Amino acid sequence: MIRIFYCQGSAHEIPENISEYRNSRIQKANRPEEKTRMILASKALKAGFESFGVSEKDVLYAFGENCKPYAKSHPEIKFSLSHTEALAIAAFSDSDVGIDCEYSARGVSERIISNFFSEKEKLSFACSPILLWTAKESISKLLGCGVSGFSELPELEYFSESAEINGIYLRRFEINGFTVVLSSLADEPFCLQEVK
């Protein structure tokens, strides 16, 4: 079962008992909205690790190829994190996962469309380019290839709720005006929990 935790809204208080790494990310935030995103992300991560019986405060983070984060102190726990505007969301599993969220009404620039979308994808996702961008981001997090690896990702076709493409399972859902795409290598169910 994939466990998904999300936090939404404004946040000003730094959560208690978080890792030095997450605390430093919050402290380094220069703008108030960036600090809010870091606090929300820390809350989602804290809840996710606690669901595995692990205190986030004790997690040692490391970064693999293309800066994919992982829990060096708990390699059995796989996670993916995304945050945008006033939403942070984290997916946890015992196998690799990817998750991304974007504000649904946000546009996608012509530069991004021309650089990262195939002609077939441009046609297929003409009504929802933000869904395509979110799906590509989610898959890149799953595979750990980053944006620079977008050209290696499978070509996507529009999907409303779920799809399987080259052994990658995609699930799309909405949270209060945000598009979320979860990707995994197994067709696992997921549970969604809001963190206050």
Side-chain angles (χ1 to χ4, degrees), residues 34-45:
E34 182 183 0
K35 185 172 184 173
T36 293
R37 282 195 303 270
M38 293 300 114
I39 290 171
L40 293 174
S42 295
K43 290 173 132 184
L45 286 169

Side-chain angles (χ1 to χ4, degrees), residues 82 84 98-104 106 108 117 125 128-141 150 156 159 170-173 178-183:
S82 182
T84 185
I99 199 160
D100 193 56
C101 62
E102 295 292 345
Y103 182 55
S104 300
R106 188 182 125 205
V108 178
F117 296 5
F125 287 88
S128 184
I130 198 67
L131 172 59
L132 176 58
W133 179 254
T134 307
K136 284 185 173 271
E137 286 260 20
S138 177
I139 294 169
S140 75
K141 291 177 180 185
F150 270 24
L156 302 179
F159 62 99
L170 301 170
R171 271 73 53 115
R172 167 202 187 175
F173 53 96
F178 292 88
T179 296
V180 180
V181 177
L182 170 68
S183 60

Side-chain angles (χ1 to χ4, degrees), residues 70-102:
Y70 65 95
K72 186 175 182 177
S73 55
H74 295 278
E76 72 282 7
I77 303 172
K78 314 295 185 196
F79 72 94
S80 181
L81 174 68
S82 182
H83 45 76
T84 185
E85 298 175 31
L87 176 71
I89 191 162
F92 288 80
S93 181
D94 56 5
S95 58
D96 286 329
V97 292
I99 199 160
D100 193 56
C101 62
E102 295 292 345

Side-chain angles (χ1 to χ4, degrees), residues 2 26 34 50 53 88 90 96 133 136 144 152-153 163 172 177 185 195-196:
I2 298 171
I26 294 168
E34 182 183 0
E50 285 175 354
D96 286 329
W133 179 254
K136 284 185 173 271
E152 305 299 317
L153 297 180
R172 167 202 187 175
L185 297 175
V195 179
K196 299 286 185 183

Side-chain angles (χ1 to χ4, degrees), residues 5-67:
F5 299 87
Y6 73 96
C7 294
Q8 190 171 12
S10 60
H12 307 289
E13 292 185 28
I14 298 173
E16 294 181 9
N17 299 316
I18 61 171
S19 64
E20 287 182 32
Y21 173 73
R22 292 306 311 169
N23 193 41
S24 71
R25 292 291 309 263
I26 294 168
Q27 299 302 330
K28 290 178 184 176
N30 293 321
R31 299 181 324 271
E33 62 273 10
E34 182 183 0
K35 185 172 184 173
T36 293
R37 282 195 303 270
M38 293 300 114
I39 290 171
L40 293 174
S42 295
K43 290 173 132 184
L45 286 169
K46 182 178 178 184
F49 281 110
E50 285 175 354
S51 77
F52 281 87
V54 172
S55 171
E56 192 278 336
K57 183 177 185 170
D58 299 327
V59 174
L60 297 175
Y61 293 94
F63 298 88
E65 191 175 339
N66 296 308
C67 298

